[in-house]
Amino acid sequence: MMRIIPLIAVVAFTAGCGRTEAPAEPPATAPVAAPVADAVATSPAVLTPVDLRRVCRAGLAAIHGQEVAAIELTGLEGAVINAQWRAPVDGGIMRAQCRAGDGLVVWKPLDLPDPVSVRWMNEAADPVVRYSLLGDAVTITQTLPDGTTETATLTVPVTEAAG
């Protein structure tokens, strides 16, 4: 029995001799991406206070059909921006809150007659508002519940939003 074990080991070891194995497959490589420009739009998960102001001004302007200059930022409560602008119909003041991050803008109207309507606009029937930043440009894309999209690229310089 002791003689068989070394013999089995030698046979097993040499069994592969003389065989030609198929060449190993080259390691899988990731597809090479086409070169991109140095300036690429981003949607940071957490915004700096200056970029939060820029995104909220652009977002509220796009959502409400206003010029960026018409949106006045009136305060900051943690990560929530308070804003106001002139109502287009009667010239009164419209007020809202805005928060943004991780590529999304969410807003809440204030001072509405029906308290149920004073809520964050992030329910299934509300448009989804996304942002991206590229230099002074803030691109806002609204996806409506029916799947259509509206995109606006607004200029909000960093220096303008810093204060």
mmCIF file of all heavy atoms in Angstrom, residues 42-100:
data_model
loop_
_atom_site.group_PDB
_atom_site.id
_atom_site.type_symbol
_atom_site.label_atom_id
_atom_site.label_comp_id
_atom_site.label_asym_id
_atom_site.label_seq_id
_atom_site.Cartn_x
_atom_site.Cartn_y
_atom_site.Cartn_z
ATOM 1 N N THR A 42 -20.965 68.602 -12.577
ATOM 2 C CA THR A 42 -21.033 67.740 -11.411
ATOM 3 C C THR A 42 -22.325 67.980 -10.650
ATOM 4 O O THR A 42 -22.948 69.026 -10.774
ATOM 5 C CB THR A 42 -19.849 68.002 -10.458
ATOM 6 O OG1 THR A 42 -19.905 69.366 -10.026
ATOM 7 C CG2 THR A 42 -18.519 67.732 -11.119
ATOM 8 N N SER A 43 -22.694 66.995 -9.878
ATOM 9 C CA SER A 43 -23.839 67.099 -8.977
ATOM 10 C C SER A 43 -23.375 66.600 -7.617
ATOM 11 O O SER A 43 -23.651 65.465 -7.239
ATOM 12 C CB SER A 43 -25.010 66.257 -9.476
ATOM 13 O OG SER A 43 -25.435 66.696 -10.732
ATOM 14 N N PRO A 44 -22.624 67.426 -6.875
ATOM 15 C CA PRO A 44 -22.084 66.956 -5.609
ATOM 16 C C PRO A 44 -23.183 66.560 -4.631
ATOM 17 O O PRO A 44 -24.245 67.163 -4.591
ATOM 18 C CB PRO A 44 -21.286 68.140 -5.073
ATOM 19 C CG PRO A 44 -21.511 69.275 -6.001
ATOM 20 C CD PRO A 44 -22.292 68.805 -7.166
ATOM 21 N N ALA A 45 -22.897 65.518 -3.842
ATOM 22 C CA ALA A 45 -23.864 65.041 -2.853
ATOM 23 C C ALA A 45 -24.096 66.093 -1.778
ATOM 24 O O ALA A 45 -25.218 66.327 -1.362
ATOM 25 C CB ALA A 45 -23.379 63.734 -2.230
ATOM 26 N N VAL A 46 -23.032 66.722 -1.321
ATOM 27 C CA VAL A 46 -23.141 67.757 -0.302
ATOM 28 C C VAL A 46 -22.592 69.041 -0.903
ATOM 29 O O VAL A 46 -21.470 69.081 -1.386
ATOM 30 C CB VAL A 46 -22.346 67.373 0.965
ATOM 31 C CG1 VAL A 46 -22.426 68.486 1.998
ATOM 32 C CG2 VAL A 46 -22.849 66.063 1.539
ATOM 33 N N LEU A 47 -23.407 70.069 -0.857
ATOM 34 C CA LEU A 47 -23.015 71.351 -1.444
ATOM 35 C C LEU A 47 -22.374 72.260 -0.405
ATOM 36 O O LEU A 47 -22.768 72.233 0.769
ATOM 37 C CB LEU A 47 -24.246 72.052 -2.023
ATOM 38 C CG LEU A 47 -24.910 71.369 -3.211
ATOM 39 C CD1 LEU A 47 -26.268 72.002 -3.496
ATOM 40 C CD2 LEU A 47 -24.027 71.441 -4.423
ATOM 41 N N THR A 48 -21.448 73.069 -0.854
ATOM 42 C CA THR A 48 -20.921 74.118 0.008
ATOM 43 C C THR A 48 -22.047 75.136 0.207
ATOM 44 O O THR A 48 -22.993 75.186 -0.594
ATOM 45 C CB THR A 48 -19.713 74.817 -0.642
ATOM 46 O OG1 THR A 48 -20.170 75.507 -1.815
ATOM 47 C CG2 THR A 48 -18.613 73.820 -0.984
ATOM 48 N N PRO A 49 -21.971 75.968 1.240
ATOM 49 C CA PRO A 49 -23.027 76.985 1.407
ATOM 50 C C PRO A 49 -23.195 77.880 0.177
ATOM 51 O O PRO A 49 -24.314 78.222 -0.195
ATOM 52 C CB PRO A 49 -22.558 77.788 2.630
ATOM 53 C CG PRO A 49 -21.764 76.791 3.426
ATOM 54 C CD PRO A 49 -21.060 75.951 2.389
ATOM 55 N N VAL A 50 -22.093 78.229 -0.477
ATOM 56 C CA VAL A 50 -22.180 79.077 -1.675
ATOM 57 C C VAL A 50 -22.894 78.330 -2.798
ATOM 58 O O VAL A 50 -23.793 78.873 -3.446
ATOM 59 C CB VAL A 50 -20.771 79.542 -2.118
ATOM 60 C CG1 VAL A 50 -20.816 80.189 -3.500
ATOM 61 C CG2 VAL A 50 -20.194 80.511 -1.104
ATOM 62 N N ASP A 51 -22.525 77.069 -3.044
ATOM 63 C CA ASP A 51 -23.189 76.300 -4.107
ATOM 64 C C ASP A 51 -24.637 75.993 -3.758
ATOM 65 O O ASP A 51 -25.494 75.944 -4.648
ATOM 66 C CB ASP A 51 -22.414 75.024 -4.429
ATOM 67 C CG ASP A 51 -21.181 75.295 -5.282
ATOM 68 O OD1 ASP A 51 -21.118 76.368 -5.924
ATOM 69 O OD2 ASP A 51 -20.281 74.436 -5.317
ATOM 70 N N LEU A 52 -24.951 75.807 -2.490
ATOM 71 C CA LEU A 52 -26.346 75.613 -2.078
ATOM 72 C C LEU A 52 -27.169 76.838 -2.456
ATOM 73 O O LEU A 52 -28.259 76.710 -3.021
ATOM 74 C CB LEU A 52 -26.430 75.347 -0.578
ATOM 75 C CG LEU A 52 -27.839 75.232 0.003
ATOM 76 C CD1 LEU A 52 -28.593 74.063 -0.613
ATOM 77 C CD2 LEU A 52 -27.774 75.088 1.523
ATOM 78 N N ARG A 53 -26.637 78.020 -2.195
ATOM 79 C CA ARG A 53 -27.343 79.257 -2.580
ATOM 80 C C ARG A 53 -27.515 79.337 -4.099
ATOM 81 O O ARG A 53 -28.583 79.692 -4.587
ATOM 82 C CB ARG A 53 -26.570 80.479 -2.076
ATOM 83 C CG ARG A 53 -26.620 80.665 -0.584
ATOM 84 C CD ARG A 53 -25.863 81.948 -0.197
ATOM 85 N NE ARG A 53 -25.740 82.054 1.221
ATOM 86 C CZ ARG A 53 -24.665 81.695 1.925
ATOM 87 N NH1 ARG A 53 -23.604 81.205 1.310
ATOM 88 N NH2 ARG A 53 -24.640 81.827 3.233
ATOM 89 N N ARG A 54 -26.454 79.013 -4.843
ATOM 90 C CA ARG A 54 -26.505 79.075 -6.309
ATOM 91 C C ARG A 54 -27.560 78.113 -6.851
ATOM 92 O O ARG A 54 -28.374 78.477 -7.711
ATOM 93 C CB ARG A 54 -25.143 78.729 -6.907
ATOM 94 C CG ARG A 54 -24.061 79.736 -6.603
ATOM 95 C CD ARG A 54 -22.706 79.303 -7.140
ATOM 96 N NE ARG A 54 -22.761 79.175 -8.583
ATOM 97 C CZ ARG A 54 -22.174 78.198 -9.265
ATOM 98 N NH1 ARG A 54 -21.474 77.263 -8.665
ATOM 99 N NH2 ARG A 54 -22.274 78.152 -10.573
ATOM 100 N N VAL A 55 -27.540 76.867 -6.371
ATOM 101 C CA VAL A 55 -28.475 75.854 -6.863
ATOM 102 C C VAL A 55 -29.905 76.230 -6.508
ATOM 103 O O VAL A 55 -30.815 76.103 -7.337
ATOM 104 C CB VAL A 55 -28.096 74.458 -6.326
ATOM 105 C CG1 VAL A 55 -29.203 73.454 -6.570
ATOM 106 C CG2 VAL A 55 -26.792 73.986 -6.955
ATOM 107 N N CYS A 56 -30.132 76.714 -5.292
ATOM 108 C CA CYS A 56 -31.504 77.083 -4.908
ATOM 109 C C CYS A 56 -32.008 78.282 -5.692
ATOM 110 O O CYS A 56 -33.165 78.306 -6.112
ATOM 111 C CB CYS A 56 -31.581 77.321 -3.398
ATOM 112 S SG CYS A 56 -31.652 75.753 -2.475
ATOM 113 N N ARG A 57 -31.157 79.277 -5.922
ATOM 114 C CA ARG A 57 -31.596 80.426 -6.739
ATOM 115 C C ARG A 57 -31.965 79.963 -8.140
ATOM 116 O O ARG A 57 -33.028 80.317 -8.668
ATOM 117 C CB ARG A 57 -30.501 81.486 -6.829
ATOM 118 C CG ARG A 57 -30.412 82.331 -5.568
ATOM 119 C CD ARG A 57 -29.441 83.455 -5.706
ATOM 120 N NE ARG A 57 -30.041 84.492 -6.543
ATOM 121 C CZ ARG A 57 -29.341 85.452 -7.101
ATOM 122 N NH1 ARG A 57 -28.040 85.523 -6.941
ATOM 123 N NH2 ARG A 57 -29.936 86.360 -7.835
ATOM 124 N N ALA A 58 -31.093 79.158 -8.742
ATOM 125 C CA ALA A 58 -31.368 78.677 -10.104
ATOM 126 C C ALA A 58 -32.583 77.755 -10.111
ATOM 127 O O ALA A 58 -33.429 77.846 -11.007
ATOM 128 C CB ALA A 58 -30.145 77.955 -10.660
ATOM 129 N N GLY A 59 -32.680 76.873 -9.130
ATOM 130 C CA GLY A 59 -33.798 75.933 -9.073
ATOM 131 C C GLY A 59 -35.132 76.638 -8.931
ATOM 132 O O GLY A 59 -36.082 76.362 -9.677
ATOM 133 N N LEU A 60 -35.223 77.572 -7.981
ATOM 134 C CA LEU A 60 -36.483 78.292 -7.789
ATOM 135 C C LEU A 60 -36.810 79.162 -8.998
ATOM 136 O O LEU A 60 -37.977 79.266 -9.392
ATOM 137 C CB LEU A 60 -36.420 79.128 -6.504
ATOM 138 C CG LEU A 60 -36.430 78.302 -5.212
ATOM 139 C CD1 LEU A 60 -36.125 79.185 -4.008
ATOM 140 C CD2 LEU A 60 -37.752 77.566 -5.040
ATOM 141 N N ALA A 61 -35.798 79.759 -9.609
ATOM 142 C CA ALA A 61 -36.040 80.560 -10.822
ATOM 143 C C ALA A 61 -36.599 79.683 -11.934
ATOM 144 O O ALA A 61 -37.587 80.045 -12.594
ATOM 145 C CB ALA A 61 -34.748 81.255 -11.261
ATOM 146 N N ALA A 62 -35.994 78.517 -12.156
ATOM 147 C CA ALA A 62 -36.463 77.626 -13.224
ATOM 148 C C ALA A 62 -37.857 77.088 -12.926
ATOM 149 O O ALA A 62 -38.722 77.054 -13.813
ATOM 150 C CB ALA A 62 -35.477 76.476 -13.417
ATOM 151 N N ILE A 63 -38.089 76.680 -11.707
ATOM 152 C CA ILE A 63 -39.383 76.105 -11.328
ATOM 153 C C ILE A 63 -40.509 77.122 -11.502
ATOM 154 O O ILE A 63 -41.593 76.792 -11.982
ATOM 155 C CB ILE A 63 -39.337 75.598 -9.868
ATOM 156 C CG1 ILE A 63 -38.415 74.378 -9.767
ATOM 157 C CG2 ILE A 63 -40.732 75.289 -9.338
ATOM 158 C CD1 ILE A 63 -38.005 74.019 -8.347
ATOM 159 N N HIS A 64 -40.231 78.376 -11.134
ATOM 160 C CA HIS A 64 -41.288 79.399 -11.121
ATOM 161 C C HIS A 64 -41.231 80.355 -12.303
ATOM 162 O O HIS A 64 -41.968 81.346 -12.327
ATOM 163 C CB HIS A 64 -41.236 80.171 -9.800
ATOM 164 C CG HIS A 64 -41.525 79.291 -8.631
ATOM 165 N ND1 HIS A 64 -42.783 78.834 -8.342
ATOM 166 C CD2 HIS A 64 -40.708 78.739 -7.708
ATOM 167 C CE1 HIS A 64 -42.731 78.050 -7.279
ATOM 168 N NE2 HIS A 64 -41.485 77.971 -6.882
ATOM 169 N N GLY A 65 -40.389 80.057 -13.294
ATOM 170 C CA GLY A 65 -40.336 80.901 -14.487
ATOM 171 C C GLY A 65 -39.842 82.302 -14.207
ATOM 172 O O GLY A 65 -40.319 83.258 -14.828
ATOM 173 N N GLN A 66 -38.889 82.444 -13.320
ATOM 174 C CA GLN A 66 -38.350 83.745 -12.940
ATOM 175 C C GLN A 66 -36.918 83.900 -13.451
ATOM 176 O O GLN A 66 -36.257 82.917 -13.769
ATOM 177 C CB GLN A 66 -38.342 83.887 -11.404
ATOM 178 C CG GLN A 66 -39.705 83.799 -10.767
ATOM 179 C CD GLN A 66 -40.559 85.001 -11.091
ATOM 180 O OE1 GLN A 66 -40.115 86.145 -11.009
ATOM 181 N NE2 GLN A 66 -41.798 84.758 -11.480
ATOM 182 N N GLU A 67 -36.450 85.118 -13.488
ATOM 183 C CA GLU A 67 -35.034 85.388 -13.738
ATOM 184 C C GLU A 67 -34.291 85.104 -12.433
ATOM 185 O O GLU A 67 -34.846 85.302 -11.341
ATOM 186 C CB GLU A 67 -34.821 86.841 -14.145
ATOM 187 C CG GLU A 67 -35.491 87.224 -15.451
ATOM 188 C CD GLU A 67 -34.868 86.514 -16.641
ATOM 189 O OE1 GLU A 67 -33.633 86.329 -16.642
ATOM 190 O OE2 GLU A 67 -35.623 86.139 -17.556
ATOM 191 N N VAL A 68 -33.046 84.659 -12.539
ATOM 192 C CA VAL A 68 -32.246 84.388 -11.338
ATOM 193 C C VAL A 68 -32.182 85.630 -10.452
ATOM 194 O O VAL A 68 -32.298 85.543 -9.224
ATOM 195 C CB VAL A 68 -30.829 83.906 -11.717
ATOM 196 C CG1 VAL A 68 -29.930 83.825 -10.498
ATOM 197 C CG2 VAL A 68 -30.903 82.554 -12.407
ATOM 198 N N ALA A 69 -32.029 86.800 -11.058
ATOM 199 C CA ALA A 69 -31.917 88.042 -10.296
ATOM 200 C C ALA A 69 -33.179 88.344 -9.489
ATOM 201 O O ALA A 69 -33.117 89.072 -8.492
ATOM 202 C CB ALA A 69 -31.605 89.201 -11.235
ATOM 203 N N ALA A 70 -34.310 87.795 -9.882
ATOM 204 C CA ALA A 70 -35.555 88.044 -9.161
ATOM 205 C C ALA A 70 -35.645 87.260 -7.853
ATOM 206 O O ALA A 70 -36.412 87.626 -6.961
ATOM 207 C CB ALA A 70 -36.749 87.690 -10.052
ATOM 208 N N ILE A 71 -34.871 86.190 -7.730
ATOM 209 C CA ILE A 71 -34.911 85.343 -6.532
ATOM 210 C C ILE A 71 -33.985 85.943 -5.484
ATOM 211 O O ILE A 71 -32.766 85.994 -5.667
ATOM 212 C CB ILE A 71 -34.495 83.888 -6.840
ATOM 213 C CG1 ILE A 71 -35.319 83.317 -7.994
ATOM 214 C CG2 ILE A 71 -34.577 83.032 -5.585
ATOM 215 C CD1 ILE A 71 -36.793 83.184 -7.730
ATOM 216 N N GLU A 72 -34.571 86.404 -4.388
ATOM 217 C CA GLU A 72 -33.801 86.990 -3.289
ATOM 218 C C GLU A 72 -33.693 85.956 -2.168
ATOM 219 O O GLU A 72 -34.709 85.425 -1.701
ATOM 220 C CB GLU A 72 -34.511 88.241 -2.770
ATOM 221 C CG GLU A 72 -33.832 88.878 -1.595
ATOM 222 C CD GLU A 72 -34.647 90.014 -0.989
ATOM 223 O OE1 GLU A 72 -35.672 90.414 -1.570
ATOM 224 O OE2 GLU A 72 -34.245 90.475 0.090
ATOM 225 N N LEU A 73 -32.477 85.671 -1.758
ATOM 226 C CA LEU A 73 -32.258 84.738 -0.650
ATOM 227 C C LEU A 73 -32.321 85.536 0.639
ATOM 228 O O LEU A 73 -31.612 86.523 0.812
ATOM 229 C CB LEU A 73 -30.910 84.035 -0.807
ATOM 230 C CG LEU A 73 -30.720 83.291 -2.142
ATOM 231 C CD1 LEU A 73 -29.374 82.597 -2.176
ATOM 232 C CD2 LEU A 73 -31.849 82.301 -2.379
ATOM 233 N N THR A 74 -33.206 85.085 1.544
ATOM 234 C CA THR A 74 -33.447 85.864 2.759
ATOM 235 C C THR A 74 -32.905 85.210 4.017
ATOM 236 O O THR A 74 -32.955 85.823 5.080
ATOM 237 C CB THR A 74 -34.959 86.115 2.929
ATOM 238 O OG1 THR A 74 -35.633 84.851 2.996
ATOM 239 C CG2 THR A 74 -35.506 86.938 1.774
ATOM 240 N N GLY A 75 -32.417 84.007 3.929
ATOM 241 C CA GLY A 75 -31.863 83.382 5.122
ATOM 242 C C GLY A 75 -31.434 81.955 4.872
ATOM 243 O O GLY A 75 -31.719 81.367 3.826
ATOM 244 N N LEU A 76 -30.720 81.431 5.844
ATOM 245 C CA LEU A 76 -30.232 80.057 5.796
ATOM 246 C C LEU A 76 -30.497 79.431 7.155
ATOM 247 O O LEU A 76 -30.089 79.967 8.180
ATOM 248 C CB LEU A 76 -28.725 80.051 5.477
ATOM 249 C CG LEU A 76 -28.013 78.712 5.486
ATOM 250 C CD1 LEU A 76 -28.520 77.828 4.362
ATOM 251 C CD2 LEU A 76 -26.511 78.913 5.347
ATOM 252 N N GLU A 77 -31.233 78.324 7.164
ATOM 253 C CA GLU A 77 -31.524 77.579 8.391
ATOM 254 C C GLU A 77 -30.918 76.200 8.233
ATOM 255 O O GLU A 77 -31.540 75.309 7.652
ATOM 256 C CB GLU A 77 -33.028 77.473 8.616
ATOM 257 C CG GLU A 77 -33.735 78.806 8.802
ATOM 258 C CD GLU A 77 -35.248 78.653 8.895
ATOM 259 O OE1 GLU A 77 -35.730 77.557 9.259
ATOM 260 O OE2 GLU A 77 -35.941 79.637 8.597
ATOM 261 N N GLY A 78 -29.689 76.030 8.682
ATOM 262 C CA GLY A 78 -28.996 74.763 8.486
ATOM 263 C C GLY A 78 -28.726 74.570 7.009
ATOM 264 O O GLY A 78 -28.008 75.347 6.397
ATOM 265 N N ALA A 79 -29.322 73.534 6.423
ATOM 266 C CA ALA A 79 -29.148 73.251 4.999
ATOM 267 C C ALA A 79 -30.366 73.680 4.191
ATOM 268 O O ALA A 79 -30.570 73.223 3.078
ATOM 269 C CB ALA A 79 -28.882 71.767 4.796
ATOM 270 N N VAL A 80 -31.187 74.568 4.757
ATOM 271 C CA VAL A 80 -32.401 75.034 4.069
ATOM 272 C C VAL A 80 -32.264 76.531 3.798
ATOM 273 O O VAL A 80 -31.975 77.320 4.696
ATOM 274 C CB VAL A 80 -33.664 74.758 4.916
ATOM 275 C CG1 VAL A 80 -34.903 75.323 4.250
ATOM 276 C CG2 VAL A 80 -33.824 73.261 5.166
ATOM 277 N N ILE A 81 -32.479 76.895 2.544
ATOM 278 C CA ILE A 81 -32.431 78.293 2.102
ATOM 279 C C ILE A 81 -33.839 78.871 2.120
ATOM 280 O O ILE A 81 -34.785 78.219 1.654
ATOM 281 C CB ILE A 81 -31.878 78.377 0.655
ATOM 282 C CG1 ILE A 81 -30.440 77.897 0.585
ATOM 283 C CG2 ILE A 81 -32.033 79.779 0.086
ATOM 284 C CD1 ILE A 81 -29.423 78.846 1.128
ATOM 285 N N ASN A 82 -33.981 80.072 2.644
ATOM 286 C CA ASN A 82 -35.233 80.823 2.559
ATOM 287 C C ASN A 82 -35.105 81.808 1.407
ATOM 288 O O ASN A 82 -34.062 82.459 1.259
ATOM 289 C CB ASN A 82 -35.511 81.583 3.860
ATOM 290 C CG ASN A 82 -35.756 80.642 5.017
ATOM 291 O OD1 ASN A 82 -36.523 79.690 4.905
ATOM 292 N ND2 ASN A 82 -35.100 80.881 6.129
ATOM 293 N N ALA A 83 -36.148 81.911 0.588
ATOM 294 C CA ALA A 83 -36.096 82.785 -0.584
ATOM 295 C C ALA A 83 -37.448 83.461 -0.796
ATOM 296 O O ALA A 83 -38.474 82.997 -0.287
ATOM 297 C CB ALA A 83 -35.718 81.975 -1.824
ATOM 298 N N GLN A 84 -37.415 84.542 -1.557
ATOM 299 C CA GLN A 84 -38.646 85.238 -1.942
ATOM 300 C C GLN A 84 -38.447 85.921 -3.283
ATOM 301 O O GLN A 84 -37.322 86.144 -3.720
ATOM 302 C CB GLN A 84 -39.060 86.255 -0.875
ATOM 303 C CG GLN A 84 -38.101 87.404 -0.723
ATOM 304 C CD GLN A 84 -38.528 88.360 0.392
ATOM 305 O OE1 GLN A 84 -39.182 87.954 1.352
ATOM 306 N NE2 GLN A 84 -38.151 89.621 0.275
ATOM 307 N N TRP A 85 -39.578 86.219 -3.945
ATOM 308 C CA TRP A 85 -39.572 86.927 -5.225
ATOM 309 C C TRP A 85 -40.941 87.540 -5.434
ATOM 310 O O TRP A 85 -41.915 87.178 -4.766
ATOM 311 C CB TRP A 85 -39.190 85.997 -6.380
ATOM 312 C CG TRP A 85 -40.133 84.841 -6.576
ATOM 313 C CD1 TRP A 85 -41.185 84.784 -7.433
ATOM 314 C CD2 TRP A 85 -40.121 83.600 -5.877
ATOM 315 N NE1 TRP A 85 -41.835 83.571 -7.321
ATOM 316 C CE2 TRP A 85 -41.192 82.827 -6.365
ATOM 317 C CE3 TRP A 85 -39.313 83.047 -4.880
ATOM 318 C CZ2 TRP A 85 -41.477 81.548 -5.880
ATOM 319 C CZ3 TRP A 85 -39.606 81.781 -4.406
ATOM 320 C CH2 TRP A 85 -40.673 81.041 -4.914
ATOM 321 N N ARG A 86 -41.018 88.484 -6.353
ATOM 322 C CA ARG A 86 -42.292 89.147 -6.666
ATOM 323 C C ARG A 86 -43.196 88.187 -7.429
ATOM 324 O O ARG A 86 -42.764 87.531 -8.382
ATOM 325 C CB ARG A 86 -42.066 90.381 -7.525
ATOM 326 C CG ARG A 86 -41.441 91.503 -6.766
ATOM 327 C CD ARG A 86 -42.542 92.524 -6.476
ATOM 328 N NE ARG A 86 -41.989 93.598 -5.689
ATOM 329 C CZ ARG A 86 -42.543 94.014 -4.562
ATOM 330 N NH1 ARG A 86 -43.643 93.472 -4.121
ATOM 331 N NH2 ARG A 86 -42.008 95.002 -3.904
ATOM 332 N N ALA A 87 -44.439 88.119 -7.004
ATOM 333 C CA ALA A 87 -45.419 87.290 -7.702
ATOM 334 C C ALA A 87 -45.720 87.934 -9.050
ATOM 335 O O ALA A 87 -45.942 89.137 -9.130
ATOM 336 C CB ALA A 87 -46.698 87.179 -6.877
ATOM 337 N N PRO A 88 -45.725 87.137 -10.125
ATOM 338 C CA PRO A 88 -45.934 87.718 -11.455
ATOM 339 C C PRO A 88 -47.344 88.263 -11.671
ATOM 340 O O PRO A 88 -47.534 89.178 -12.459
ATOM 341 C CB PRO A 88 -45.637 86.558 -12.399
ATOM 342 C CG PRO A 88 -45.756 85.326 -11.591
ATOM 343 C CD PRO A 88 -45.484 85.706 -10.166
ATOM 344 N N VAL A 89 -48.320 87.739 -10.976
ATOM 345 C CA VAL A 89 -49.703 88.137 -11.231
ATOM 346 C C VAL A 89 -50.063 89.432 -10.516
ATOM 347 O O VAL A 89 -50.499 90.395 -11.135
ATOM 348 C CB VAL A 89 -50.687 87.009 -10.819
ATOM 349 C CG1 VAL A 89 -52.126 87.443 -10.986
ATOM 350 C CG2 VAL A 89 -50.410 85.764 -11.628
ATOM 351 N N ASP A 90 -49.866 89.477 -9.198
ATOM 352 C CA ASP A 90 -50.331 90.635 -8.432
ATOM 353 C C ASP A 90 -49.203 91.466 -7.828
ATOM 354 O O ASP A 90 -49.456 92.453 -7.151
ATOM 355 C CB ASP A 90 -51.296 90.194 -7.334
ATOM 356 C CG ASP A 90 -50.649 89.282 -6.309
ATOM 357 O OD1 ASP A 90 -49.417 89.068 -6.364
ATOM 358 O OD2 ASP A 90 -51.368 88.779 -5.429
ATOM 359 N N GLY A 91 -47.960 91.091 -8.053
ATOM 360 C CA GLY A 91 -46.844 91.866 -7.520
ATOM 361 C C GLY A 91 -46.574 91.633 -6.044
ATOM 362 O O GLY A 91 -45.696 92.251 -5.469
ATOM 363 N N GLY A 92 -47.343 90.734 -5.441
ATOM 364 C CA GLY A 92 -47.102 90.394 -4.035
ATOM 365 C C GLY A 92 -45.796 89.622 -3.896
ATOM 366 O O GLY A 92 -45.059 89.433 -4.861
ATOM 367 N N ILE A 93 -45.517 89.164 -2.702
ATOM 368 C CA ILE A 93 -44.280 88.430 -2.445
ATOM 369 C C ILE A 93 -44.587 86.935 -2.333
ATOM 370 O O ILE A 93 -45.458 86.529 -1.572
ATOM 371 C CB ILE A 93 -43.607 88.920 -1.140
ATOM 372 C CG1 ILE A 93 -43.254 90.398 -1.242
ATOM 373 C CG2 ILE A 93 -42.400 88.074 -0.788
ATOM 374 C CD1 ILE A 93 -42.170 90.695 -2.248
ATOM 375 N N MET A 94 -43.859 86.149 -3.116
ATOM 376 C CA MET A 94 -43.911 84.683 -3.014
ATOM 377 C C MET A 94 -42.722 84.271 -2.157
ATOM 378 O O MET A 94 -41.622 84.799 -2.329
ATOM 379 C CB MET A 94 -43.793 84.029 -4.391
ATOM 380 C CG MET A 94 -44.854 84.422 -5.387
ATOM 381 S SD MET A 94 -46.434 83.624 -5.092
ATOM 382 C CE MET A 94 -46.012 81.928 -5.305
ATOM 383 N N ARG A 95 -42.935 83.327 -1.260
ATOM 384 C CA ARG A 95 -41.849 82.846 -0.408
ATOM 385 C C ARG A 95 -41.783 81.329 -0.479
ATOM 386 O O ARG A 95 -42.815 80.663 -0.611
ATOM 387 C CB ARG A 95 -42.056 83.285 1.048
ATOM 388 C CG ARG A 95 -41.928 84.762 1.245
ATOM 389 C CD ARG A 95 -42.059 85.258 2.692
ATOM 390 N NE ARG A 95 -42.607 84.318 3.638
ATOM 391 C CZ ARG A 95 -41.912 83.724 4.635
ATOM 392 N NH1 ARG A 95 -40.637 83.992 4.798
ATOM 393 N NH2 ARG A 95 -42.499 82.891 5.457
ATOM 394 N N ALA A 96 -40.561 80.813 -0.374
ATOM 395 C CA ALA A 96 -40.372 79.364 -0.408
ATOM 396 C C ALA A 96 -39.086 79.018 0.330
ATOM 397 O O ALA A 96 -38.258 79.886 0.620
ATOM 398 C CB ALA A 96 -40.280 78.865 -1.851
ATOM 399 N N GLN A 97 -38.957 77.741 0.629
ATOM 400 C CA GLN A 97 -37.717 77.202 1.167
ATOM 401 C C GLN A 97 -37.169 76.216 0.146
ATOM 402 O O GLN A 97 -37.920 75.635 -0.636
ATOM 403 C CB GLN A 97 -37.951 76.497 2.500
ATOM 404 C CG GLN A 97 -38.283 77.460 3.623
ATOM 405 C CD GLN A 97 -38.424 76.749 4.951
ATOM 406 O OE1 GLN A 97 -39.046 75.694 5.031
ATOM 407 N NE2 GLN A 97 -37.852 77.344 5.982
ATOM 408 N N CYS A 98 -35.858 76.029 0.189
ATOM 409 C CA CYS A 98 -35.205 75.155 -0.766
ATOM 410 C C CYS A 98 -34.089 74.405 -0.070
ATOM 411 O O CYS A 98 -33.394 74.959 0.787
ATOM 412 C CB CYS A 98 -34.628 75.997 -1.908
ATOM 413 S SG CYS A 98 -33.577 75.075 -3.064
ATOM 414 N N ARG A 99 -33.928 73.159 -0.434
ATOM 415 C CA ARG A 99 -32.764 72.383 -0.010
ATOM 416 C C ARG A 99 -32.280 71.611 -1.232
ATOM 417 O O ARG A 99 -33.066 71.296 -2.132
ATOM 418 C CB ARG A 99 -33.090 71.473 1.173
ATOM 419 C CG ARG A 99 -34.174 70.477 0.907
ATOM 420 C CD ARG A 99 -34.517 69.694 2.161
ATOM 421 N NE ARG A 99 -35.528 68.705 1.824
ATOM 422 C CZ ARG A 99 -36.399 68.220 2.670
ATOM 423 N NH1 ARG A 99 -36.390 68.617 3.913
ATOM 424 N NH2 ARG A 99 -37.266 67.319 2.276
ATOM 425 N N ALA A 100 -30.995 71.331 -1.267
ATOM 426 C CA ALA A 100 -30.425 70.659 -2.435
ATOM 427 C C ALA A 100 -29.231 69.828 -2.002
ATOM 428 O O ALA A 100 -28.524 70.172 -1.056
ATOM 429 C CB ALA A 100 -30.002 71.678 -3.487
#
